[in-house]
């Protein structure tokens, strides 16, 4: 038998050869391996306390089960995962989970409720961006030890400071990466200077899930292998090879030749040409991810709401939807994605259109009759550059001179998270099918000071702060009457069309081209399930 280390070196070597030798003969992918082409240059760590990128989150979710999971067939509902059942106390302040008894980590260590409790407390103690996921529901550093407890090996209790909606809590916390079970014994053995295993998790996963991270070569590939001690049904394909392929055209070539099973970043023209072709299918699912023009409200120009509103009228929503975004997204100006509780309908949620006269009128009122100069940064997604160029061309017609700067996604994220930009094109995805998921990040800002470093809040990244909006977001969250709660979100969306910190452009699809011989590729708005795929 080939040693595991040799086998994975050969997988990575084969990936590299195919990338630099586009004329090699086509060959089917290994029958036991799911092979993907994807732009994965944003990966920097696999620590669930720290990651914030969609790419890394998807990979991690296939390695680390959470307390509950989203139903693959209906993402508005959750299903048991690490927890087989749960119950809410009569006062709505305590949620109790009954964990499965047959779970082990890849190390062989048993999974206990104390591991889950430690893992969740660890997120808050480390204080990285994902701590906000717990802190916004009252799990702050000063009460975390009392708020999360494991009275026995298979019982986990979450004690809340307020009676939040149960379905929201299940989606926002229990189905979130912060509710993964990490192997405490293994991580503490690898601890360096009190980091609770953070450095070790840069290139490891030590949790209970269908796969585990075997290898990550930055700029090359990620290899996952099936977890032999997994509590659930074993993955249909025991190996996953994700090849870093930045260019959409190269992804298309690899897919057409059969060198990969799935391509994740195909350009619209690639998808259009491949759709319906022999042996290839285009699959997509609307997801709660918004693609938006991020405007730094700390910049004197974009601090003016009339300027921000003018920018919305410089976007050719329909023209872009018919071309570069034909397969990737649908026009959406509301901060609440379609499919979420509290969302405005498709028509009311997109009131803007390309209107240069209206943009010019707003700029005049804002005190910029001759326009202004600004720099727009964007990443390597195939549709980012065409959208940026379209905006640049329209803006020039009203005197707004936009300098464009393209960069790697990791650099883009770093610049935006440090508020080192004027405007940027990027995306944000919520983890819940509820308006609060976006309101709590795109609008609510707990501390706008630069030194607060609230980098997992897009509102903070954009230096947007409104005490009135903060209060309304909290009031809507705790509104007990569902109809009144929905009405609050509707009003907030309409207000943000005029005052909001961003120009939201599109709601995104999870779109992929796949080979017909790959079966059961399952994706919904929140997850892609590698373990269900088969050949």
């Amino acid at each position: 038998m080939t040693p595991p280390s040799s086998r994975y070196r050969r997988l990575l070597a084969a990936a590299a050869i195919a990338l630099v030798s586009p004329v090699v003969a086509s060959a089917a992918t290994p029958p036991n391996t799911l092979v993907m082409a994807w732009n994965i240059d944003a990966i920097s760590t696999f620590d669930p306390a720290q990651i914030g990128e969609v790419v890394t989150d998807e990979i991690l979710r296939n390695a680390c089960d959470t307390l509950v999971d989203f139903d693959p067939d209906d993402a508005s509902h959750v299903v048991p995962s690490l927890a087989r059942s749960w119950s809410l106390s009569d006062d709505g302040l305590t949620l109790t989970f009954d964990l499965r008894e047959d779970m082990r980590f890849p190390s062989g260590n048993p999974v206990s409720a104390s591991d889950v409790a430690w893992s969740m407390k660890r997120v808050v103690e480390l204080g990285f961006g994902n701590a906000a996921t717990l802190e916004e529901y009252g799990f702050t550093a000063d009460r975390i030890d009392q708020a999360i407890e494991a009275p026995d090996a298979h019982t986990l209790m979450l004690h809340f400071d307020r009676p939040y909606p149960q379905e929201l809590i299940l989606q926002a916390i229990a189905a979130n990466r912060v509710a993964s079970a990490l192997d405490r014994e293994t991580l503490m053995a690898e601890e360096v200077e009190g980091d609770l295993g953070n450095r070790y998790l840069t290139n490891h996963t030590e949790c209970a899930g269908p796969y585990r991270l075997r290898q990550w070569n930055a700029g090359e590939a990620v290899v996952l292998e099936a977890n032999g001690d997994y509590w659930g049904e074993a993955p249909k394909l025991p190996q996953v090879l994700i090849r870093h392929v930045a260019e959409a055209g190269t992804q298309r070539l690899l897919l057409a030749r059969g060198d990969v099973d799935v391509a994740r970043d195909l350009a619209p023209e690639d998808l259009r040409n491949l759709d319906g072709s022999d042996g290839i299918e285009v699959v997509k699912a609307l997801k709660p991810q918004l693609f938006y023009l991020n405007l730094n409200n700390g910049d004197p120009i974009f601090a003016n709401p009339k300027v921000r509103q003018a920018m919305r009228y410089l976007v050719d929503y329909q023209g872009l939807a018919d071309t570069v975004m034909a397969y990737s997204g649908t026009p959406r100006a509301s901060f609440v994605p379609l499919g979420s509780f509290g969302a405005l309908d498709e028509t009311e949620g997109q009131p803007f259109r390309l209107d240069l006269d209206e943009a010019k009128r707003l700029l005049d009122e804002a005190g910029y009759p001759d326009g202004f100069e600004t720099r727009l940064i964007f990443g390597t997604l195939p549709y980012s550059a065409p959208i940026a160029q379209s905006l640049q061309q329209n803006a020039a017609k009203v005197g707004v001179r936009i300098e464009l700067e393209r960069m790697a996604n990791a650099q883009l994220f770093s610049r935006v998270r440090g508020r080192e930009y004027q405007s940027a094109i990027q995306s944000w995805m919520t983890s819940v099918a509820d308006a609060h998921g976006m309101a709590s990040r795109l609008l609510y800002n707990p501390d706008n000071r630069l030194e607060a470093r609230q980098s997992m809040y897009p509102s903070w990244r954009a230096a947007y702060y409104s005490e009135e909006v903060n209060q309304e977001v909290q009031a809507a969250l705790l509104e007990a009457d569902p109809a009144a709660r929905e009405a609050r979100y509707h009003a907030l969306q309409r207000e943000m069309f005029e005052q909001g910190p961003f120009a939201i452009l599109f709601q995104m699809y999870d779109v992929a081209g796949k080979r017909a011989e790959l079966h059961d590729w399952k994706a919904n708005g929140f997850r892609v399930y590698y373990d269900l795929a088969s050949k």
Side-chain angles (χ1 to χ4, degrees), residues 24 40 135 140 151 174 199 297 362 381 384 405 444 505 519 528:
V24 298
I40 55 173
E135 290 169 345
T140 52
R199 292 187 210 179
N297 291 217
L362 288 164
L381 293 173
S384 293
E405 182 180 358
Y444 185 84
L505 310 176
H519 308 294
V528 177

Side-chain angles (χ1 to χ4, degrees), residues 287-304:
K287 57 184 178 179
Q289 181 180 18
L290 298 176
F291 195 67
Y292 64 98
L293 176 62
N294 190 353
L295 305 170
N296 189 338
N297 291 217
D299 184 283
I301 296 172
F302 296 121
N304 190 317

Side-chain angles (χ1 to χ4, degrees), residues 486-499:
E486 184 176 48
R488 282 182 177 272
Y489 286 126
H490 286 177
L492 197 52
Q493 288 166 84
R494 297 184 186 107
E495 179 184 349
M496 289 301 104
F497 288 146
E498 296 185 2
Q499 302 294 327

Side-chain angles (χ1 to χ4, degrees), residues 31 112 159 174 191 208 236 319 340 423 461 482 507 512:
S112 72
H159 302 292
E191 185 180 36
K236 304 293 193 303
S340 299
S423 62
R461 298 177 188 178
Q507 182 172 347

Side-chain angles (χ1 to χ4, degrees), residues 388-534:
Q389 291 160 3
S390 173
L391 180 62
Q392 181 189 49
Q393 292 165 6
N394 292 329
K397 297 173 184 177
V398 296
V400 175
R401 299 165 297 284
I402 301 178
E403 180 182 350
L404 303 182
E405 182 180 358
R406 185 176 186 265
M407 59 188 62
N409 290 330
Q411 184 183 1
L412 174 70
F413 297 153
S414 177
R415 290 273 296 275
V416 172
R417 289 171 183 170
R419 287 186 179 174
E420 299 170 357
Y421 72 102
Q422 287 180 290
S423 62
I425 292 179
Q426 58 182 144
S427 65
W428 182 264
M429 182 170 171
T430 180
S431 61
V432 297
D434 188 289
H436 182 72
M438 286 297 191
S440 64
R441 289 294 187 273
L442 298 182
L443 306 184
Y444 185 84
N445 184 346
D447 188 341
N448 197 45
R449 294 173 302 135
L450 182 62
E451 59 270 25
R453 310 299 298 177
Q454 297 285 346
S455 62
M456 292 306 288
Y457 286 83
S459 54
W460 180 89
R461 298 177 188 178
Y464 172 78
Y465 183 85
S466 167
E467 184 60 37
E468 293 76 16
V469 171
N470 276 359
Q471 292 174 2
E472 181 55 29
V473 169
Q474 289 297 303
L477 168 64
L478 297 173
E479 175 60 62
D481 177 36
R485 185 166 179 257
E486 184 176 48
R488 282 182 177 272
Y489 286 126
H490 286 177
L492 197 52
Q493 288 166 84
R494 297 184 186 107
E495 179 184 349
M496 289 301 104
F497 288 146
E498 296 185 2
Q499 302 294 327
F502 317 110
I504 297 171
L505 310 176
F506 292 92
Q507 182 172 347
M508 305 303 290
Y509 290 108
D510 187 301
V511 62
K514 78 170 190 70
R515 302 287 305 181
E517 53 265 30
L518 180 71
H519 308 294
D520 302 317
W521 173 261
K522 178 69 71 172
N524 58 33
F526 295 92
R527 277 207 55 194
V528 177
Y529 300 79
Y530 300 168
D531 59 315
L532 300 181
S534 63

Side-chain angles (χ1 to χ4, degrees), residues 119-172:
S119 301
M120 297 179 72
K121 293 176 182 180
R122 174 183 178 275
V123 173
V124 175
E125 184 174 344
L126 286 174
F128 294 124
N130 289 330
T133 301
L134 291 165
E135 290 169 345
E136 70 176 290
Y137 295 103
F139 295 102
T140 52
D142 60 342
R143 65 180 297 269
I144 190 69
D145 287 334
Q146 296 74 39
I148 302 177
E149 65 171 324
D152 59 55
H154 305 293
T155 303
L156 180 76
M157 303 179 74
L158 305 183
H159 302 292
F160 298 95
D161 59 340
R162 291 181 286 181
Y164 303 103
Q166 176 178 295
E167 284 301 312
L168 175 60
I169 290 298
L170 290 173
Q171 294 180 26

